[in-house]
Every structure is written in C-alpha cells, then in structure tokens.
Amino acid sequence: MLILMGHQATRDQVDNVLRHVREHGFEPIELPGADRLAIGVLGSNPAQIRDAVIALPGVVDAVPVSKPYKQVGREWHPEPTVVRVGEVRIGTGAPFAVAAGPCAVESRDQLLATARAVRSSGAHLLRGGAYKPRTSPYSFRGLGAVALEHLAEARAETGLPVVTEVLTPLDVEQVAEVADVLQVGARNAQNFSLLEAVGDVGKPVLLKRGLSSTVEEWLLSAEYVVSRGNPQVILCERGIRTFETATRNTLDLSAVPLVHSLSHLPVLVDPSHATGQRHLVPAMALAAAAAGADGLLVEVHPRPDEALSDGPQSLTLEQFSELMEGLRHLIGALARA
Amino acid sequence: MLILMGHQATRDQVDNVLRHVREHGFEPIELPGADRLAIGVLGSNPAQIRDAVIALPGVVDAVPVSKPYKQVGREWHPEPTVVRVGEVRIGTGAPFAVAAGPCAVESRDQLLATARAVRSSGAHLLRGGAYKPRTSPYSFRGLGAVALEHLAEARAETGLPVVTEVLTPLDVEQVAEVADVLQVGARNAQNFSLLEAVGDVGKPVLLKRGLSSTVEEWLLSAEYVVSRGNPQVILCERGIRTFETATRNTLDLSAVPLVHSLSHLPVLVDPSHATGQRHLVPAMALAAAAAGADGLLVEVHPRPDEALSDGPQSLTLEQFSELMEGLRHLIGALARA
Amino acid sequence: MLILMGHQATRDQVDNVLRHVREHGFEPIELPGADRLAIGVLGSNPAQIRDAVIALPGVVDAVPVSKPYKQVGREWHPEPTVVRVGEVRIGTGAPFAVAAGPCAVESRDQLLATARAVRSSGAHLLRGGAYKPRTSPYSFRGLGAVALEHLAEARAETGLPVVTEVLTPLDVEQVAEVADVLQVGARNAQNFSLLEAVGDVGKPVLLKRGLSSTVEEWLLSAEYVVSRGNPQVILCERGIRTFETATRNTLDLSAVPLVHSLSHLPVLVDPSHATGQRHLVPAMALAAAAAGADGLLVEVHPRPDEALSDGPQSLTLEQFSELMEGLRHLIGALARA
Amino acid sequence: MLILMGHQATRDQVDNVLRHVREHGFEPIELPGADRLAIGVLGSNPAQIRDAVIALPGVVDAVPVSKPYKQVGREWHPEPTVVRVGEVRIGTGAPFAVAAGPCAVESRDQLLATARAVRSSGAHLLRGGAYKPRTSPYSFRGLGAVALEHLAEARAETGLPVVTEVLTPLDVEQVAEVADVLQVGARNAQNFSLLEAVGDVGKPVLLKRGLSSTVEEWLLSAEYVVSRGNPQVILCERGIRTFETATRNTLDLSAVPLVHSLSHLPVLVDPSHATGQRHLVPAMALAAAAAGADGLLVEVHPRPDEALSDGPQSLTLEQFSELMEGLRHLIGALARA
C-alpha cells in the first residue's frame, strides 16, 4: 500500500502516520517526491489498515497494491480451472459448452419439447428456471418444486445436465437435489448469505455478474463461494447496467479476456439477458465465442410469443439450431487460427 | 399500452396483432399515424401481454402506460404515510428524523459511548450493524448476536429505537427480536426472498436503494414488502453507482422530491455511504434536508480512525453535534419559507 | 405521439389538451384505458409539440412514436450504404476493412515504418493523428501540419488512404487537403459546428460514438453530417463510459448489430480505445468481426513503450500481423457459416 | 508515481524498468513488499512517462501520485477565486448569485418580459441562449445574432449582466461583444479548441460539466481555459448521465463540496437541466444552496408550455419569484448556522 501525504502535510503529521503504521505491525518507508511525500507500507495485507490510515490528518489517499481476491486469482493459481458437470467439461481446453433452454419452466410439455430440440441441435446443458426473481411482485415467479420435477424428467430423457437458479439459502438444499449446476443470478451477485450457502454444497455454481458489479467485485463474490471449500465456480457475463437503454443491458465482452487474465475460472456469456432482443442474440453469441468465452447460456423457447417471461429475447428452436451451426464453423476457424 | 407497428408492417401482421390482443382478453384500437400504425390496448393491466406482443412480426415496440407499482404509488394513495417507531414518527408532517451511530457495532463501549453522544446531540434513532455485508469474504463482518445484545442495552439506556440490518431470511426472526426498524441494505435491494421475509414481520422496514436500482425498481422492491401486508416502509437514498469515482457513490438527491411525487412513503438520505468521505457529509446532510428528505441516516464513530469498517466516512461525535446544530437552523428556515 | 393523462385528470384538463393539439395543427384521438385516458396525436412530426404538451395541467407523459432521425435510418433507406475511400469499400457486402496505425504521428520514421508494416500485414487504410485531443492541456497534442505532410508521404509510398482526426471547424479545410477520411473523435461527437463543417466537405467522415452517447444520439450526430449533403458517413464504436474502470471504456459490441438494424451506414469498431490494454485488443478485434462489424480501427506502433500517447493500448507490428492472420481465418469461417 | 511489478516479475524485468526510468531523467526507488515489488519514481511530473512504463514487461500498473491539474487546484492556490461580472461577484464570501432566464431567446418580448421579472424577483444575472446546441439537426437552434441584440437591449434596460453560450471558436468574437459571461455547454466540455478560444478572451467563462465528465476531467477542462491566461472561470454542475432515466440527468450535488475542496474556483448549479422537470427544480435549487454552491443557473419562461426548447423544465415567472423567496430564508439560516 502507498500512503500519499498532502502537499502541505507537516512533519508531525508524517510522524503520526509512521507511528500508526508501525503500531499495526507494518513497516513504513518514506518516499519523498517533487510535490509531496509518499509512504510505502510493507508486510502482509496492509490494505486492512487503509480505512484507519486514510482518516489521519495530512493523508490524502492510500492506494492498495495487491488484489483483494486470492483463491480465484490467476496470480496464485496459474493453471485454468475446468469445471466438470457430469460428462461435460467447462473451461480452457475443453470444448465450447452451450447451456440452452427456456427462461422459466412453464409446463412439462414446453420443457421437454425444448430439451429434445436443443439436445438434437448440439447443446450440452439444459437451463430452465424453477424459481424466478422478478422485479415486480405481480409477475410470474416460476412453478417452483413442480418445475424441478420437470427438469429432472427432462434430464432423465435427454441426458442433459440441468442448470437452474436458486434464490435464497432456504431453497439451496431442495434445488441442489435436482440441479447439476446451481445458478446465482445477477440480482443476487452480492447476496453473501446465498453465496456462502452454495459454497457449502458440493455442486458447481454458475455465478452471474451483478448489474453493477465491477470485475473485481464479481471475482470477490466468487471468492465467497470458493472460500467455503467449493472450487467449482463458473462465471457468467450477462450485461451490465449503463446509460444505454436501446439494449436491455450492455454486454461487456471485454470482461471475457480480462477475467481470463485475472482468474483461472471459466467464463460463460449470456447474450439473451444482455441484449434483451432476439435479433441481436446470434451476433453476440458468435462474438462471445470469438472473444474467448468458454461457452454460452442461451434462452430458447418453442413459442417465444407465448412465453411467460423474457419472450422477446428467446430464440425459437429453429433459430437456436442455426446458431449452433454458425458456432461450429466459427469455433473450428478459431481453433485453426 | 400502446403497440407500435413498423413502418412497413403488412395488413396481415396488423391483423395478427389485433387477433392476439383479443385472444388475451383485451380490446385493441387502431391509431393510424403519418409514419406508422399504432394500436392502443384497453383493459386492466395490459402490460402483462407486452412480452408476447412485442415478439410478433411487424411490431416495433409496446409502451406500457400505467405504473407497475400500485400500493406504494401516490396515485392510488394520495395521503402521505407516516411510519411510527416507538414515539418517533417519520414522514411528511413529522419532525425531521435522524438515525445515527456506527457502521458496525464493534464493542459494548464503542456503541454505548456513541449512543449517549448522539442522543445528547439530538438524534432520534440509533443505527448500528450487527451483521455486515462486505464485498470481500476476508473483511470484518460484524459481531452478530453479541452486537444485538449491545444494541438492546443501548436502547434501554438511551431510549433510542434501534435500526439494524438483516442480511438473509434466516436471520429475520432473530434480528426482529431486537430491532425497532429492520434495514434492508443496498446489495439486497432486489433480494426478493428477504423482502418478503421482512414483509411478513410487523416491524418498520428501512429499504435502501440498490446501487443500480432505478427509482421504479426501488418502488417495486418496496411493493414486495407492502404486498405481504407490511405497510411500514421507509425508503433510503444512499447513492447510486455511476462513472464518477471521486466519491464512493453518486448521491441522487433529485430522487427525494421525485419519490415524494410518485409515492406516499417517507424518504431518508444516507450521506455517509453516498459520499464515502467525512468532509462531504455535513454539506450533503444539509442538502438532503433542503431537498425535502424526511430524515437522515448518518454514520458516527467515537474514533473513526480505529473503525473496523467505513471509518473514512464516519463523523466524529463532535462533528455530528455540529451537524445537528446546523440542521436545526436550516429546518427552522425551511419551515418558515 | 401518445399523451398520457393523469389518473385524476379532469374533463377540463383533457379538453384543454385536445384544444392545444388542434391549435398546433394535429389531430387528437381519445383512448380511454382502465386506469387513465391516453390521447393519440396524428399528423407529421407531432413530437415537435411534445415539450409544450407535457407542460399542460393533467398531463403525465408524452411518448413519441417515430424515430427522430430520418436520412440515416434504415426504415426509409433499406439498402446498405457502402462508403468508398479510393479503392477501398466499407459496408455490407464489401470486404472487412482494417485501418491501422499509430495513435499520434510522432515522426516521419515512426509513421513510415508503421505504414509499411501494416500494409504488408494486409491493412486497408492508414490511421494516424496529426491533431490530438487530450484531457490535459499539458499532454502531447500532435505535430499538426508536419504530421499531415508525413501522412501524405506515407500514402504516396504505400498507397494506403489516410484516416486522420479534425478537432475544430477552423482546421477542416487544411486537414481535408490531406485526409481521405475525416475522423470526428468521441469528445466531439456532439460538437455540432464541427459535424456541420465536415458535412460541407465532399470526403468520407468517420464518426466515433461519444463516451456517453446513446445509439440514438450517435445516429442523430450522423444525421447532422448527412443533412448537410454528405452521405459518406462511417460510424465507429469505441467504447462507452460506465462504472467499470478495469478497462478504459466498455466496448458496446451489441451496438454493431443494433445499428445495422436501425441504420444503413457502415460500422467499424475500435478495440484499442475501448479496452485501453494491448492484451485485450486481439480478442475484441475478433469479437467485433464476429458481431458483424464492417471493419476495425486499430492502434499499432513500432515501439509502443516509447509512444507519446496511448502506448499501453497499441499493438506491436508483430502483434498486428498475427491479428490480421487470425482475422482472415475468422472471416473466412463467418462467410461460410 | 508508483510502478507495481507483477508477482512473478524477473530481476531482468525490474532492471529494465529501473533503466527506463533513469533514461527519462527520473530517480527510481525499489520498494519490496510481501507480494510484489513496487518502484517509486521521484522527480517533477513523472506521470508523463506512465504510458511508456506501463507497457514494459513485468509491469502491472503505474499509479500517479500528483493531481494532473495545477492552476485550478486549491493545493497550489488556497485562497478562493471570486469572479467579478460587472458589479456581481461570484465565489466564496460573495452573496449567493442567481442567473435566470429562458433556455433560448425566442423573441424580444419574451426576453424582455423575463428579464424584467427575474430582475424584480432578485436575480443577479440574465441567462438566455442565442446559439443552441441541439441533439437533432431538425430542432430549433436559436435566433443567433438577433438574439444577441435582444440580450444587449435587456441588459441595457435591466442592468443585469448577460450569460450566453458560445458553440464554436468561429463565434467567440461575435458572442464576446455582447456576453458578460461566455458559457461553454456540457456537450463542449471537452471541445478543447473552444476552451482555448474562450481562454484567449478577457471575459469570465461559465464552464458546464460534461455529461460524462469526471470531476478531474472537468477541472482539467478549466485548466485549459486558465492555462491560456484567463483565470475567470466559473464551474457549473448540471447533472451527469447515469442509468437513471426518471430524471433528465442525475444532479451530482456532492460535486459542489468536493470541487470546493479540490479547487479555488466558484461552483454554480443548474437544477433545470439536471432534473428536466419543473416540479423538481425548487427542491434541488434549495439543496444546491445548502450544499454550498456559490449560486444557480435557472431556466425561467413567461409561458413554458409555448417554449421552443426545454419548456418542461422552465419555471414560470411566479414560481421563480417564490423560489427566490425560499432561497432568501435558507441562505439567511445557513449564514447563521
């Protein structure tokens, strides 16, 4: 950590900071500059005293040097993590993985029809919401336990592992009985009780980026899960909230190579929630693959215009089949490049 | 709702939309324009078919007309809600209410010293965190049950009702045994399970705005609480996340008069989390009062440079006392204006 | 346009709005709803009276229906525009076009070495700044007229057409003597005097999106140029400003397919300014191509660590060569898909 | 400046950085830490080599220590600047200053009626646009030279100095003949040619914050003006662009005390453009005064529902009169506090 003293800081103020740093068990070094004095702080995790130091008279700022996350960081764990979900592997070196299915499980027929279709188009996992977080209490909020039964049946028939969301620590046990991957949604990206609860389960976790999470906060949320002993975390970029309203969110594809440089965890992309518009999904799915994503999460519905949620952003079964065809061409070319 | 057809929409596409609207039990009206056709949809809550309609061929957009919230909206409930916490009243017509105290309860001494001081400076409620949400799993996360005991003791001694945060539905019962006001924090503003859990308790709820919540989403979160039968919701603006990093968040004071025009619920302002810097807190506290806020939530610490969290934004006891003095002058002047 | 009346609007207020609309030469239609009355306004460009109408008593909102841009919109001009720069064509159906070169022209040697290298790697245009907009008045601001001479020499030798920025109407004439494409930078995206000045010149204009421009505002800025009689506008997405600071800006790749659906103009992507980090540029360049961009604007420098501006985001000559190789594979695959 | 080396940086990489720093004329100091090595750079303005250094192998980041602005910074110029406009003084210690008038000068009658009214309500300056920047080329863009004549006449009659906007360096001379204060608008906040042009004129400049300008960028824009020899700069906060669309912009009132701590320049607030809604203007005007602003810029129109631009955010003459009355009470109280 580097402590920056004000241009007019007195010698007494500087001495007070030095004393403070030493009292906390760290070693300060004075760094005179042209404009001002800086004080370097050596030792393990000096950022823990940042709040205390920054409040001292004469101090202008204190800049941490180390990353706040450890276990999810690539610096300390250079080899990539490959998460296994049944026979599917997700991560660097594994085949590009596609999870597809409806936003919400609406009926047995809807789910089975979708599962069969995405399976035959080449999807690797089945996604579908049993419990849906909705901005309004008056919107459709999922079929709950019944939907979990449908998901289990769809898996039994198609062999596709199931990705489904869990909203509260109260439901983790129940959802984990069926889910192969527990999804934590964007609105719960900093629901720390939920992160710990899924960290206590021995199943892979798909962690969506929060609407306003920085990459650093997102990795710290993953650190919550990993720090409970569950290293099987799959990150998922799904668009952030910006001033632009022409798309539902702004898909931050730069986060894909960035996270790959900072962390060893796999990264998926969800072009459906990011754009909110079906006609933009295929282009952004291809772009995600080209940006180096390890896979996709895509909303597919047999009859999107009758969907109870997120219809406008769901691909039809035919559109999904075409997308998978395009992805195969693209990924082949990327492998050769 | 108004459905906008594309400039080149065919008659067949228009007829298909009309049929669709009627099948859902609503009445469509054609509205020819210079550039395009619009279709008005009459009936109760037509926005529920927006997702279905917007996906139809030829449709460009569908614009809902009604507000999505009902019970918290002023349109249907013009008289202001005044929330009672013991003998303290919060809302239009009630005295300006100040909740003050440390970010986190760190010790019995720290809390009692703060409680006595803010009481004598004129605070109306005592705030203090027992359970703290922290971005990093390695940060101090509160004393938990022990802190609740300290809060109960501080209330017994000073008479100040207690505001404290609850992080998960699992803790609501325990926290509600001590808390006079249950706080839902910014990161849980769309934790719908938690909103429902506090909606099931017969105690006032202080609902902070999420870092990236629009005013509409914030009011819908309040609607979650109220729709469970608990009308005692106090809103709290605490800064939103923007591109500006010179302050911790960007305090959106315009939200105060805006929410007052849209909703009958009281609105507090938290200048501490909004700015993140002690030297900006007094100015923004006064500005909040001038903007029409019903009160404040302010962080105060006897020795901020030793605080375990949020020290840089905590006022000292003396600074808080001065702030209360300034507020009395200001509020007197506003009352006369 | 649709005028929304308040839930409690009186009959007199409604009549007043109807009279107002008619006085401005438009025809109002009453649209009774369950909650409130809406009033449709028919005629040409009713949005021009939006400000007047929205201020009337009883009016809650007024929603325009038509897009505010005309000449750049695809709705009125469905066929794509292909801009010609010498023998290079940019737009749908034309080969993917890459403009490469240094952020700033720093010397004759630097520019010529770069121009030769990017030419041999397959670039189609040479970019290089003669006049540089800089946040600080104390930063390097370009060689000016001398740089223009170097650019002309580099073009003469390599045959690459030249893209260079113009900062003020005062310089348009001088810059246009050398430039094959006049670039308007992100900070000037709403410098309307400059937009008109380049609209008066018979040369293609490369219009970067502003840091906080919505897609609609960006297209309206293009409309400024086109409305002066210059239809040769190339749009360039270069990242928008968001809360995320881990990258210089947030590259909004969804804007590529979105703008292609809204406008007939070609769209390039600048992954250098968007990310600000060299190691992220290749991935985002490939992603841009996969998203359907018509080409790229890439910063390349023979010795980035000695660059006077934007060194950290410039590719080396070797990195650029590798990128072009990767792009060829990708574009081939996309063409077959 | 502090250079942070990667956790796995080699000795050769460190030596290379040290050599590089010395070659540029600065003195490096090694600062070993628990996780990594940092290198302090001493000397005048080391940030000028940041871009070069950050690109070297093994370097993770380079953190500047000094502020990039000098002449506008309070650190080097502690006493507040008070700008004089005729007999009006603006800045710390001077009376709260209010500039009021229509968004655009629409006619001689409209302007004179407004000028007389705001004068009698206690305004200190008259604002009114002769040249208007508009997002769409098809909107009303001001009366130009005729409006300047009307402004001159209004000043002659009322004695109020005139604040009016200049859009391009081409117009600075003409506008400066009439204007007492040259306004640079939000969309031109980083139009560096214009900033230099107004810096060359001996008249006060009112510099609005850009829609996406950080406080640091805003101060650097002011530095452009001051560095040309014109120290009479008045800053004006007018709302920034965020995800919230319920108000036109998000008024960042925290910027007022923040800028006062960073700079000696006076700060006004424009609640009209910030909120975009007349009913929010009075509350935010009072809040601005309470936050410590040195004055206001307020839009006032005799008949807002007939305004050619920004009608919905303009106060009526009566509303402005009431606001001035409220401000007098508030400012009196603040002075006593």
Side-chain angles (χ1 to χ4, degrees):
Chain A
M1 189 167 63
L2 188 76
I3 301 169
L4 311 180
M5 301 302 297
H7 153 63
Q8 294 165 316
T10 64
R11 188 63 230 175
D12 277 357
Q13 290 174 334
V14 172
D15 288 340
N16 183 42
V17 172
L18 298 175
R19 187 168 52 243
H20 223 86
V21 169
R22 285 197 197 94
E23 281 174 14
H24 281 89
F26 297 94
E27 186 189 345
I29 294 187
E30 290 190 51
L31 305 167
D35 289 357
R36 69 182 74 233
L37 181 74
I39 299 173
V41 182
L42 311 184
S44 172
N45 193 16
Q48 68 186 262
I49 60 164
R50 178 174 188 273
D51 281 0
V53 160
I54 209 170
L56 296 175
V59 172
V60 166
D61 202 356
V63 184
V65 169
S66 298
K67 300 288 184 197
Y69 44 83
K70 297 290 174 198
Q71 300 188 55
V72 306
R74 188 175 283 273
E75 209 167 4
W76 307 101
H77 183 313
E79 65 281 12
T81 287
V82 176
V83 174
R84 288 177 177 276
V85 185
E87 299 182 5
V88 179
R89 292 180 304 129
I90 303 174
T92 303
F96 193 79
V98 178
C103 178
V105 177
E106 295 168 3
S107 72
R108 183 174 173 276
D109 286 354
Q110 173 241 25
L111 184 67
L112 287 176
T114 308
R116 287 174 198 134
V118 301
R119 163 82 205 220
S120 80
S121 298
H124 308 84
L125 301 115
L126 176 65
R127 62 146 293 156
Y131 297 95
K132 299 298 305 170
R134 298 303 294 267
T135 303
S136 164
Y138 309 124
S139 298
F140 172 66
R141 290 158 72 185
L143 298 179
V146 172
L148 292 175
E149 288 173 26
H150 297 333
L151 286 165
E153 182 179 351
R155 174 178 50 200
E157 183 185 321
T158 62
L160 294 176
V162 161
V163 184
T164 196
E165 183 164 356
V166 59
L167 297 183
T168 167
L170 304 167
D171 293 343
V172 167
E173 195 178 344
Q174 180 204 24
V175 175
E177 279 176 22
V178 167
D180 298 289
V181 179
L182 289 163
Q183 178 178 323
V184 175
R187 283 171 185 73
N188 282 317
Q190 292 194 308
N191 180 340
F192 303 119
S193 304
L194 181 60
L195 293 172
E196 293 191 330
V198 298
D200 289 339
V201 173
K203 295 221 165 175
V205 173
L206 187 141
L207 176 60
K208 291 206 166 183
R209 182 178 182 183
L211 277 76
S212 61
S213 289
T214 62
V215 164
E216 184 169 296
E217 290 171 338
W218 187 21
L219 291 176
L220 280 166
S221 289
E223 188 92 6
Y224 261 91
V225 180
V226 175
S227 70
R228 299 292 276 213
N230 183 351
Q232 307 171 75
V233 177
I234 305 160
L235 300 167
C236 183
E237 160 66 30
R238 46 74 73 206
I240 56 175
R241 180 158 279 181
T242 71
F243 64 82
E244 178 59 76
T245 57
T247 45
R248 183 170 177 179
N249 296 284
T250 297
L251 182 61
D252 180 11
L253 274 188
S254 308
V256 173
L258 179 65
V259 168
H260 275 158
S261 73
L262 297 172
S263 173
H264 51 85
L265 296 175
V267 186
L268 302 189
V269 169
D270 174 350
S272 307
H273 282 89
T275 61
Q277 298 177 50
R278 184 182 311 139
H279 73 105
L280 302 177
V281 169
M284 299 321 290
L286 296 175
D294 298 303
L296 295 174
L297 199 67
V298 184
E299 291 192 346
V300 180
H301 196 287
R303 295 166 68 181
D305 55 350
E306 298 179 3
L308 294 177
S309 76
D310 286 351
Q313 72 197 31
S314 296
L315 297 183
T316 62
L317 304 180
E318 296 68 32
Q319 288 171 325
F320 178 69
S321 175
E322 284 169 32
L323 170 59
M324 290 301 285
E325 184 70 16
L327 279 169
R328 272 187 288 274
H329 280 285
L330 184 79
I331 290 163
L334 291 167
R336 284 191 303 277
Chain B
M1 190 168 61
L2 189 75
I3 301 169
L4 311 180
M5 302 303 297
H7 153 62
Q8 294 165 316
T10 63
R11 189 64 230 173
D12 277 358
Q13 290 174 336
V14 172
D15 288 340
N16 184 42
V17 172
L18 297 175
R19 188 168 50 241
H20 224 87
V21 169
R22 286 197 196 95
E23 280 174 14
H24 281 89
F26 296 94
E27 186 189 345
I29 294 187
E30 291 189 51
L31 305 167
D35 290 357
R36 69 181 75 233
L37 181 75
I39 299 173
V41 182
L42 311 183
S44 173
N45 193 16
Q48 69 184 262
I49 61 164
R50 180 174 186 272
D51 282 0
V53 160
I54 208 172
L56 296 175
V59 172
V60 166
D61 203 355
V63 184
V65 169
S66 299
K67 301 288 185 196
Y69 43 83
K70 297 289 174 198
Q71 300 187 54
V72 305
R74 189 175 283 275
E75 207 166 6
W76 307 100
H77 183 311
E79 65 281 14
T81 288
V82 176
V83 174
R84 289 178 176 276
V85 186
E87 299 182 7
V88 180
R89 291 180 307 127
I90 303 174
T92 303
F96 193 78
V98 178
C103 177
V105 178
E106 295 168 3
S107 72
R108 183 175 173 276
D109 286 354
Q110 171 241 26
L111 184 67
L112 287 176
T114 308
R116 288 172 198 136
V118 302
R119 164 81 205 220
S120 81
S121 298
H124 309 84
L125 301 115
L126 176 65
R127 61 146 294 156
Y131 297 95
K132 300 297 305 171
R134 298 303 295 266
T135 303
S136 164
Y138 308 125
S139 298
F140 172 67
R141 290 157 70 185
L143 297 179
V146 173
L148 292 175
E149 288 175 24
H150 297 332
L151 287 164
E153 183 179 351
R155 174 180 48 201
E157 183 183 323
T158 62
L160 294 176
V162 161
V163 183
T164 196
E165 183 165 356
V166 59
L167 298 183
T168 166
L170 303 167
D171 294 344
V172 166
E173 196 178 344
Q174 181 202 23
V175 175
E177 280 176 22
V178 169
D180 298 290
V181 178
L182 289 162
Q183 177 177 322
V184 174
R187 283 169 186 75
N188 283 317
Q190 293 195 308
N191 180 340
F192 303 118
S193 303
L194 181 60
L195 293 172
E196 294 191 331
V198 298
D200 289 339
V201 173
K203 294 220 166 174
V205 173
L206 186 140
L207 176 60
K208 291 206 166 183
R209 182 178 181 183
L211 277 77
S212 60
S213 289
T214 62
V215 165
E216 183 169 298
E217 289 171 339
W218 187 22
L219 291 175
L220 280 167
S221 289
E223 187 91 7
Y224 261 92
V225 180
V226 176
S227 70
R228 298 293 276 212
N230 184 351
Q232 306 170 76
V233 177
I234 305 159
L235 300 167
C236 182
E237 161 65 31
R238 45 77 71 208
I240 56 174
R241 179 157 278 179
T242 71
F243 65 82
E244 178 58 78
T245 58
T247 44
R248 183 170 177 179
N249 296 283
T250 297
L251 182 60
D252 180 11
L253 274 188
S254 310
V256 173
L258 179 64
V259 168
H260 274 158
S261 74
L262 296 172
S263 173
H264 51 86
L265 296 175
V267 186
L268 302 189
V269 169
D270 173 351
S272 308
H273 282 90
T275 61
Q277 299 176 49
R278 182 182 313 136
H279 73 106
L280 303 177
V281 169
M284 299 321 291
L286 296 176
D294 298 302
L296 295 174
L297 198 67
V298 183
E299 292 193 346
V300 180
H301 196 286
R303 296 166 67 181
D305 55 350
E306 298 178 3
L308 294 176
S309 76
D310 287 350
Q313 72 197 31
S314 294
L315 296 183
T316 63
L317 304 180
E318 295 71 28
Q319 288 170 326
F320 178 70
S321 175
E322 285 169 32
L323 170 58
M324 290 300 286
E325 185 69 17
L327 278 168
R328 273 186 287 273
H329 281 285
L330 184 78
I331 290 162
L334 291 167
R336 287 190 302 277
Chain C
M1 189 167 63
L2 188 75
I3 301 169
L4 310 181
M5 301 303 297
H7 152 63
Q8 295 166 315
T10 64
R11 187 65 230 173
D12 277 358
Q13 290 174 334
V14 172
D15 288 341
N16 184 42
V17 172
L18 297 175
R19 186 168 52 243
H20 223 86
V21 169
R22 286 198 196 94
E23 281 174 15
H24 282 89
F26 297 94
E27 184 188 347
I29 295 187
E30 291 189 52
L31 305 168
D35 290 359
R36 70 181 73 235
L37 181 75
I39 299 172
V41 181
L42 311 183
S44 173
N45 193 16
Q48 68 184 263
I49 61 164
R50 179 173 187 272
D51 281 1
V53 159
I54 208 171
L56 295 175
V59 173
V60 166
D61 202 355
V63 185
V65 169
S66 298
K67 300 288 185 198
Y69 43 84
K70 297 289 174 200
Q71 299 188 56
V72 306
R74 188 175 283 275
E75 210 168 4
W76 307 101
H77 183 313
E79 65 281 12
T81 287
V82 176
V83 174
R84 290 178 176 275
V85 185
E87 298 182 7
V88 180
R89 291 179 306 129
I90 302 174
T92 303
F96 193 79
V98 178
C103 178
V105 178
E106 296 168 2
S107 72
R108 184 175 172 276
D109 286 354
Q110 171 241 25
L111 184 67
L112 287 176
T114 307
R116 286 172 199 136
V118 302
R119 164 82 205 218
S120 81
S121 297
H124 309 84
L125 301 115
L126 175 66
R127 61 146 293 157
Y131 296 95
K132 300 297 305 171
R134 298 304 293 268
T135 303
S136 165
Y138 308 124
S139 299
F140 172 66
R141 290 159 71 185
L143 298 180
V146 172
L148 293 175
E149 289 174 24
H150 297 332
L151 285 165
E153 182 179 352
R155 174 178 49 201
E157 183 184 322
T158 62
L160 295 176
V162 161
V163 183
T164 197
E165 184 165 355
V166 59
L167 298 183
T168 167
L170 303 166
D171 294 344
V172 167
E173 194 178 346
Q174 181 203 24
V175 175
E177 279 176 23
V178 168
D180 298 289
V181 178
L182 289 163
Q183 178 177 322
V184 174
R187 283 170 185 74
N188 283 318
Q190 293 195 308
N191 180 339
F192 303 118
S193 304
L194 181 59
L195 292 173
E196 294 191 331
V198 299
D200 289 339
V201 173
K203 295 221 166 175
V205 173
L206 187 140
L207 176 61
K208 289 207 166 185
R209 182 178 181 183
L211 277 77
S212 60
S213 288
T214 62
V215 164
E216 184 169 297
E217 289 171 339
W218 187 20
L219 291 175
L220 280 166
S221 289
E223 188 92 5
Y224 261 93
V225 180
V226 175
S227 70
R228 298 293 276 213
N230 183 352
Q232 306 171 78
V233 176
I234 305 160
L235 300 167
C236 183
E237 160 66 31
R238 46 76 71 207
I240 57 175
R241 179 157 278 182
T242 71
F243 64 81
E244 178 59 77
T245 57
T247 44
R248 184 170 177 179
N249 296 285
T250 297
L251 182 60
D252 180 11
L253 274 188
S254 309
V256 173
L258 179 64
V259 168
H260 274 159
S261 73
L262 296 173
S263 173
H264 51 85
L265 296 175
V267 186
L268 302 189
V269 169
D270 174 351
S272 308
H273 282 89
T275 63
Q277 301 176 49
R278 183 184 311 139
H279 73 105
L280 302 177
V281 169
M284 299 322 290
L286 295 176
D294 298 304
L296 296 173
L297 199 66
V298 185
E299 291 192 348
V300 181
H301 196 287
R303 295 167 66 183
D305 55 350
E306 297 179 3
L308 294 177
S309 78
D310 287 350
Q313 72 197 30
S314 295
L315 297 182
T316 64
L317 304 180
E318 295 70 31
Q319 288 171 325
F320 179 70
S321 175
E322 284 169 33
L323 170 59
M324 290 300 286
E325 184 71 15
L327 279 168
R328 273 186 287 273
H329 281 284
L330 184 80
I331 290 162
L334 291 168
R336 285 191 303 276
Chain D
M1 190 168 59
L2 187 75
I3 302 169
L4 310 180
M5 301 302 297
H7 152 63
Q8 294 166 317
T10 65
R11 188 63 230 174
D12 276 0
Q13 289 174 336
V14 172
D15 288 342
N16 183 43
V17 172
L18 298 175
R19 188 169 50 242
H20 225 85
V21 169
R22 286 197 196 95
E23 281 175 13
H24 283 88
F26 297 94
E27 186 188 346
I29 294 187
E30 291 189 51
L31 305 167
D35 291 356
R36 69 181 74 236
L37 181 74
I39 299 173
V41 182
L42 311 183
S44 173
N45 193 17
Q48 70 185 260
I49 61 163
R50 179 174 188 272
D51 281 1
V53 160
I54 208 171
L56 295 175
V59 172
V60 167
D61 203 355
V63 184
V65 169
S66 298
K67 299 289 185 197
Y69 43 84
K70 297 290 173 200
Q71 300 187 54
V72 305
R74 190 175 282 275
E75 208 167 6
W76 307 100
H77 184 312
E79 66 281 12
T81 288
V82 176
V83 174
R84 289 179 177 274
V85 185
E87 298 182 7
V88 180
R89 291 180 305 129
I90 303 174
T92 303
F96 193 79
V98 178
C103 178
V105 177
E106 296 168 2
S107 71
R108 183 174 173 278
D109 286 354
Q110 171 241 27
L111 184 67
L112 286 177
T114 308
R116 287 172 199 135
V118 301
R119 164 80 205 220
S120 80
S121 298
H124 309 84
L125 301 115
L126 175 66
R127 60 146 294 158
Y131 296 94
K132 300 297 305 171
R134 298 304 294 266
T135 303
S136 163
Y138 309 124
S139 298
F140 172 65
R141 290 158 71 185
L143 297 180
V146 172
L148 293 175
E149 289 174 24
H150 297 332
L151 286 164
E153 181 179 352
R155 174 179 48 202
E157 182 183 323
T158 62
L160 295 176
V162 161
V163 184
T164 197
E165 183 165 356
V166 60
L167 297 183
T168 167
L170 303 167
D171 293 345
V172 167
E173 195 178 345
Q174 180 203 23
V175 174
E177 279 176 23
V178 168
D180 298 288
V181 179
L182 289 163
Q183 179 178 323
V184 174
R187 283 169 185 74
N188 283 318
Q190 294 196 306
N191 180 340
F192 304 119
S193 304
L194 180 61
L195 293 172
E196 293 191 331
V198 298
D200 290 338
V201 173
K203 294 223 167 173
V205 173
L206 187 140
L207 176 60
K208 290 207 166 184
R209 182 178 182 183
L211 277 77
S212 61
S213 288
T214 62
V215 164
E216 183 170 298
E217 289 171 339
W218 187 21
L219 292 175
L220 280 166
S221 289
E223 187 92 7
Y224 261 92
V225 180
V226 176
S227 70
R228 298 293 276 212
N230 183 351
Q232 306 171 78
V233 177
I234 304 159
L235 299 167
C236 182
E237 161 65 30
R238 44 78 70 208
I240 57 175
R241 179 158 279 182
T242 71
F243 65 82
E244 179 59 77
T245 56
T247 45
R248 183 170 177 177
N249 297 283
T250 297
L251 182 61
D252 181 11
L253 274 188
S254 308
V256 173
L258 179 64
V259 167
H260 275 158
S261 73
L262 297 172
S263 173
H264 50 86
L265 297 175
V267 186
L268 301 189
V269 168
D270 172 352
S272 308
H273 282 90
T275 62
Q277 298 175 51
R278 182 183 312 138
H279 74 104
L280 302 177
V281 168
M284 300 321 292
L286 296 176
D294 299 302
L296 295 174
L297 197 68
V298 184
E299 291 192 347
V300 181
H301 196 286
R303 296 166 68 182
D305 55 350
E306 297 179 4
L308 294 177
S309 77
D310 287 349
Q313 73 198 29
S314 295
L315 297 183
T316 63
L317 303 181
E318 294 71 28
Q319 289 170 325
F320 178 71
S321 174
E322 285 170 31
L323 170 60
M324 291 299 287
E325 184 69 16
L327 278 168
R328 272 186 288 271
H329 281 284
L330 184 79
I331 289 163
L334 291 168
R336 286 190 304 275

